[in-house]
């Protein structure tokens, strides 16, 4: 197990909610802002790497026909599966895997929504570039990519949040649909298509 995987495994073994994503209003609000920023009401296939204990996964499952989620920590994967099992119907359309990204990215799949939340700043610049390419190469023609990241310094951070998002902005293959910019976090929504929400709904030319 690589050092990052060991670190996260130990975190989730000590506490099933190490960042209090269930309890903190900050996290609840951020999650609702992310969901409200999605340009479509429903998605065919969502991919959420670094799913943690599955709080966002469960919310995405309500709006998706299929969700693929993953985490580098086996304990986080177990917690996500347990979280989903408690929901009515058990969210049978969700599959959860133990994966390290970008190395284990499912390159043979196609997603119309990819959500990268609170994980890209742990990567090296080389891995970040690979992550960006994986996202772009597995998005459908109208696919949407969301990045959401904490802005303050912390010990495990490898990259600055602004630099992470700028790497995706500079790709030349993505159109930014929305940005929510706060002192605490940065949320960006891009798509392979430049159509706005109103255009997707047929309200604007």
């Amino acid at each position: 197990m690589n050092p990052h995987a060991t670190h996260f495994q130990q975190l989730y073994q000590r506490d099933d909610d190490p960042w209090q994503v269930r309890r903190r209003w900050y996290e609840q609000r951020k999650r609702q802002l992310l969901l409200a920023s999605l340009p479509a009401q429903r998605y065919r296939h969502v991919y959420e790497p670094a799913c943690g204990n599955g709080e966002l996964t469960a919310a995405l499952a309500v709006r998706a026909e299929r969700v693929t989620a993953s985490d580098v920590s086996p304990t986080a994967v177990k917690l996500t599966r347990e979280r989903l099992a408690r929901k009515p119907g058990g969210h049978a359309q969700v599959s959860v895997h133990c994966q390290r990204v970008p190395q284990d990215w499912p390159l043979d799949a196609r997603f119309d929504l990819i959500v990268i939340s609170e994980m890209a700043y742990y990567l090296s610049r080389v891995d970040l570039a690979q992550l960006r390419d994986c996202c772009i190469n597995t998005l459908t023609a109208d696919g949407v990519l969301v990045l959401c990241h904490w802005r303050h310094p912390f010990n495990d951070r490898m990259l600055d949040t602004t630099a992470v998002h700028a790497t995706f902005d500079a790709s030349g293959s993505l159109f930014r649909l929305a940005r929510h910019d706060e002192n605490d976090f940065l949320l960006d929504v891009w798509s392979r298509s430049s159509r706005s929400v109103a255009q997707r709904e047929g309200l604007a030319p």
Side-chain angles (χ1 to χ4, degrees):
M1 191 176 285
N2 67 70
H4 269 151
T6 300
H7 171 67
F8 290 117
Q9 177 68 355
Q10 290 171 346
L11 279 177
Y12 281 106
Q13 285 176 332
R14 289 195 298 264
D15 185 344
D16 67 356
D17 192 11
W19 289 279
Q20 298 183 35
V21 297
R22 286 193 299 267
R23 302 186 289 272
R24 281 187 174 140
W25 168 241
Y26 168 83
E27 293 289 349
Q28 295 171 23
R29 173 180 174 269
K30 182 184 69 173
R31 192 158 53 248
Q32 292 303 317
L33 284 167
L34 188 156
L35 293 167
S37 297
L38 299 179
Q41 186 175 10
R42 296 284 298 173
Y43 290 91
R44 297 180 297 276
H45 192 183
V46 177
Y47 184 40
E48 184 204 4
C51 63
N53 60 8
E55 288 300 309
L56 180 57
T57 315
L60 291 169
V62 175
R63 294 176 59 176
E65 296 173 16
R66 181 183 175 195
V67 177
T68 300
S70 69
D71 201 278
V72 72
S73 161
T75 299
V77 169
K78 177 176 178 288
L79 290 168
T80 297
R81 289 173 177 164
E82 291 172 350
R83 170 72 174 81
L84 295 166
R86 293 195 297 270
K87 299 292 286 185
H91 284 320
Q93 81 277 31
V94 183
S95 57
V96 190
H97 309 278
C98 192
Q99 293 175 331
R100 180 187 176 198
V101 294
Q103 290 81 1
D104 299 329
W105 193 277
L107 292 172
D108 57 342
R110 290 296 176 269
F111 308 104
D112 58 335
L113 174 61
I114 298 172
V115 179
I116 307 291
S117 180
E118 310 297 357
M119 64 83 66
Y121 41 47
Y122 292 111
L123 302 178
S124 68
R125 292 191 180 276
V126 171
D127 283 349
L128 179 66
Q130 185 181 348
L131 175 72
R132 178 197 61 197
D133 293 345
C134 287
C135 289
I136 292 170
N137 291 337
T138 54
L139 273 178
T140 59
D142 61 347
V144 173
L145 169 65
V146 178
L147 261 67
C148 185
H149 290 93
W150 177 251
R151 304 190 86 158
H152 299 288
F154 61 96
N155 289 338
D156 298 324
R157 177 188 287 279
M158 297 280 288
L159 296 171
D160 175 74
T161 287
T162 302
V164 167
H165 287 231
T167 297
F168 286 78
D169 256 334
S171 72
S173 301
L174 298 169
F175 299 91
R176 187 196 288 159
L177 300 182
R179 165 168 280 198
H180 183 85
D181 188 336
E182 296 192 9
N183 289 339
D184 296 325
F185 71 93
L186 181 61
L187 167 66
D188 275 310
V189 181
W190 293 277
S191 178
R192 294 286 296 272
S193 168
S194 63
R195 292 184 303 153
S196 70
V197 176
Q199 287 172 323
R200 290 167 188 248
E201 293 281 300
L203 298 173

